[in-house]
């Protein structure tokens, strides 16, 4: 291999590696955010114990039958909201920040109730039906 070919191939590899790494960053959850895997029940529901929140106002849940994570948030009024973290623009997985939910693909922003704050998304995140029974939160999956 001559010098020119070597430089061309190694430059292409370096560029591809850096692009690949930048794409992976958007899919990662912050190391400070705990995630919990829950088995989907036969009736297409998951059951989360209130302890998944452990002194936080939200938790990230993964159901065995749903590709996108679920954002479970306890609002200031004590009520819970469960949102599918799949952007309504092009289905990218939405990231959680301390004050909002952000799509790393195209920059759409949502509040913690799933309402669109900034496009390109023009629909709110999918809110999942939930109920409470004792110390359990039962979430119906789509």
């Amino acid at each position: 291999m001559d010098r020119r070919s070597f430089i061309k191939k190694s430059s292409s590899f370096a560029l591809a590696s850096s692009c690949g790494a930048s794409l992976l960053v958007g899919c990662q959850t912050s190391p400070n955010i705990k995630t919990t895997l829950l088995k989907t029940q036969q009736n297409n529901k998951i059951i989360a114990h209130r302890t998944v929140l452990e002194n936080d106002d939200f938790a990230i849940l993964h159901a065995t039958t749903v590709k996108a994570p679920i954002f479970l948030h306890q609002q200031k009024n004590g009520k819970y909201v469960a949102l599918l973290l799949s952007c309504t623009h092009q289905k990218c997985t939405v990231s959680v920040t301390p004050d909002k939910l952000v799509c790393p693909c195209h920059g759409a922003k949502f509040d913690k109730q799933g309402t669109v704050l900034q496009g390109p998304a023009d629909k709110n995140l999918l809110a999942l039906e939930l109920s409470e029974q004792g110390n359990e939160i039962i979430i119906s999956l789509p």
Side-chain angles (χ1 to χ4, degrees):
M1 176 183 303
D2 67 354
R3 182 173 185 243
R4 183 178 298 245
S5 296
F6 174 77
I7 291 172
K8 193 174 184 179
K9 285 187 179 189
S10 60
S11 297
S12 297
F13 177 75
L15 179 62
S17 297
S18 66
C19 289
S22 67
L23 290 173
L24 289 175
V25 170
C27 298
Q28 294 177 348
T29 302
S30 167
N32 299 333
I33 298 176
K34 185 179 84 169
T35 63
T36 304
L37 176 64
L38 298 172
K39 185 176 179 185
T40 305
Q41 306 295 311
Q42 286 182 342
N43 55 3
N44 210 32
K45 296 178 185 224
I46 56 171
I47 300 172
H49 197 273
R50 291 180 200 271
T51 57
V52 297
L53 297 171
E54 291 184 343
N55 299 323
D56 293 321
D57 67 346
F58 72 89
I60 305 298
L61 309 176
H62 294 272
T64 54
T65 58
V66 180
K67 289 182 181 180
I70 297 163
F71 176 74
L72 177 63
H73 171 58
Q74 184 173 20
Q75 301 174 41
K76 292 182 187 209
N77 63 7
K79 301 246 184 218
Y80 293 93
V81 64
L83 304 170
L84 191 62
L85 289 177
S86 179
C87 184
T88 54
H89 175 237
Q90 289 189 348
K91 305 298 179 210
C92 293
T93 300
V94 175
S95 300
V96 178
T97 69
D99 58 337
K100 62 184 157 267
L101 310 173
V102 180
C103 179
C105 295
H106 301 105
K109 294 179 182 164
F110 306 87
D111 67 16
K112 288 187 175 182
Q113 287 70 43
T115 305
V116 175
L117 299 174
Q118 174 184 314
D122 58 359
K123 294 180 184 172
N124 297 338
L125 293 176
L126 178 62
L128 304 174
E129 185 180 320
L130 61 81
S131 61
E132 300 174 51
Q133 290 182 344
N135 284 327
E136 295 178 332
I137 302 165
I138 302 159
I139 302 169
S140 297
L141 300 175

